Amino acid sequence: MSRLRVAIQKSGRLAERSQEVLRSCGLKFARSKDQLFWYGQDFPVDLLLVRDDDIPRLLLDGVCELGIVGENTANEVMLERAGQSQLNCLRRLGFGHCRLSVAVPEDRAVSTVEELQDARIATSYPELTRHLLEQRGVRATIVELSGSVEIAPGLGTADAISDLVSTGTTLRANHLRELDVLMHSEAALYGRVNGISDEKRALLQRLLSRLEGVLQAAESKYVMLHAPREALQRITELLPGVEHPSIMPLEGSDRIAVHAVCGEAVFWEHLEALKAAGASAILVLPVEKMLA
Ligand code: PRT
Ligand code: ZN
């Protein structure tokens, strides 16, 4: 029987959430002693635990069918291998958010990246940085570094940097100023869709549909309330992400019960507006699983 292999980061910023998202799809794993290969117990999907930078190449080389990695890393490798077969981004996963930004020393008098024509830019993302700068008409000399990019301007080896930023603390600590964002990134599930057997493709579809359910459920809320029958249209409009709620009559009353799955976040403001439209007994419940 066919099995799928998913590569995830062994340790680091994406490791825990990657395991979590697969577990929430009902996958369970028996950990091996070397910790690099986890066998899937109830569902024929195994895990490969590796460095995040290796994930796109493992996919492209056919070692695994799926991988969870930052869009920044996937795009860097795809640009390296431009013209060859590429990866499919199957689903963004909603964690590992960051941005690839250009930063300059605080005291440097520039206000746009366009002013960095022919400057030396240090980065761990040479292809991505070159590509995104070229799109904006900026030709730069890329100084490739594998880490500690933020110290390059201080050492005099670069005029600016292009690096991942989340809170901005690292930039501030190194007296750098964020000039502009080149791209936003988050963790995503990538896959090799071509050149896999029909059996593997069917497994992949099953896993994707579970994943879609988990991610949609995480964003959804089940809302129950009572309302005057004549307010139904207004109430439906006020429920975020709802088109067709379920309606039930209430015994001995001219009011109705309305149940709906809200596909978007439900805030206090929504509840207050519902109440003002005549709703009462409003309950908001989390949704655990969903299958469309
Ligand atoms: O060992 P391995 O190679 O697997 O891990 P790694 O050290 O290369 O990667 P890791 O775990 O640091 O990051 C994995 C992925 O997390 C990245 O490819 C991004 O997709 C994502 N991510 C999200 C980040 C950040 N946020 C982030 N802030 N990756 C790195 N950083 C670094 C950044 O490079 C800078 O040094 O954090 C510093 C800036 O953070 P702030 O909060 O000070 O702005
Ligand atoms: Zn890495």
Side-chain angles (χ1 to χ4, degrees):
M1 189 190 175
S2 288
R3 301 185 69 83
L4 287 180
R5 232 179 244 174
V6 190
I8 64 167
Q9 192 186 26
K10 182 170 186 279
S11 62
R13 288 170 205 266
L14 307 180
E16 211 167 294
R17 296 291 302 271
S18 301
Q19 285 182 35
E20 220 175 87
V21 78
L22 294 171
R23 287 213 178 87
S24 62
C25 292
L27 310 189
K28 293 194 187 72
F29 302 99
R31 301 183 185 206
S32 66
K33 278 205 197 75
D34 63 9
Q35 295 273 307
L36 295 181
F37 182 84
W38 294 5
Y39 182 81
Q41 288 176 322
D42 300 338
F43 200 76
V45 174
D46 304 319
L47 280 194
L48 210 56
L49 289 98
V50 295
R51 289 199 54 186
D52 70 336
D53 317 67
D54 294 334
I55 295 174
R57 291 182 197 90
L58 289 169
L59 281 165
L60 289 167
D61 295 342
V63 177
C64 35
E65 290 79 23
L66 293 167
I68 296 178
V69 70
E71 293 170 294
N72 51 302
T73 310
N75 286 327
E76 175 71 21
V77 176
M78 287 200 267
L79 284 167
E80 258 172 38
R81 297 201 178 188
Q84 302 173 38
S85 71
Q86 297 280 290
L87 299 173
N88 293 75
C89 181
L90 302 172
R91 182 65 157 94
R92 290 202 174 111
L93 299 173
F95 63 90
H97 289 278
C98 56
R99 51 195 191 271
L100 183 71
S101 286
V102 172
V104 291
E106 273 165 2
D107 52 9
R108 200 168 158 190
V110 284
S111 48
T112 65
V113 286
E114 283 74 16
E115 291 167 55
L116 292 176
Q117 203 64 259
D118 296 322
R120 295 165 304 156
I121 301 190
T123 185
S124 309
Y125 296 92
E127 297 296 333
L128 202 51
T129 298
R130 185 178 294 118
H131 176 78
L132 295 170
L133 284 175
E134 270 174 11
Q135 280 187 345
R136 298 173 63 159
V138 178
R139 203 176 350 93
T141 304
I142 302 291
V143 179
E144 186 175 346
L145 295 175
S146 57
S148 304
V149 168
E150 62 279 359
I151 62 172
L155 295 176
T157 52
D159 307 305
I161 68 166
S162 159
D163 198 10
L164 299 178
V165 180
S166 50
T167 60
T169 311
T170 306
L171 292 185
R172 279 191 294 278
N174 288 281
H175 305 288
L176 296 169
R177 175 165 56 88
E178 191 172 354
L179 195 59
D180 212 337
V181 177
L182 294 181
M183 81 172 269
H184 289 274
S185 173
E186 67 182 90
L189 179 73
Y190 284 86
R192 217 166 22 93
V193 176
N194 299 323
I196 65 170
S197 67
D198 289 348
E199 208 177 345
K200 281 190 177 180
R201 196 187 305 273
L203 264 176
L204 196 146
Q205 283 309 334
R206 251 177 90 195
L207 184 61
L208 276 180
S209 124
R210 287 192 187 187
L211 182 64
E212 195 56 44
V214 166
L215 296 172
Q216 267 184 23
E219 293 157 4
S220 301
K221 292 282 177 280
Y222 192 81
V223 176
M224 305 193 277
L225 55 84
H226 292 175
R229 187 175 288 278
E230 62 276 11
L232 179 60
Q233 195 186 339
R234 176 80 189 118
I235 298 274
T236 306
E237 285 164 7
L238 288 171
L239 287 165
V242 173
E243 276 174 38
H244 304 291
S246 307
I247 315 297
M248 284 148 282
L250 289 172
E251 274 294 298
S253 161
D254 55 356
R255 289 169 73 79
I256 50 173
V258 178
H259 288 199
V261 174
C262 292
E264 296 160 24
V266 180
F267 297 109
W268 280 109
E269 288 74 12
H270 291 120
L271 305 189
E272 286 158 4
L274 287 163
K275 189 161 183 245
S280 61
I282 309 172
L283 277 180
V284 182
L285 307 172
V287 175
E288 195 184 297
K289 291 189 180 71
M290 253 172 141
L291 198 60

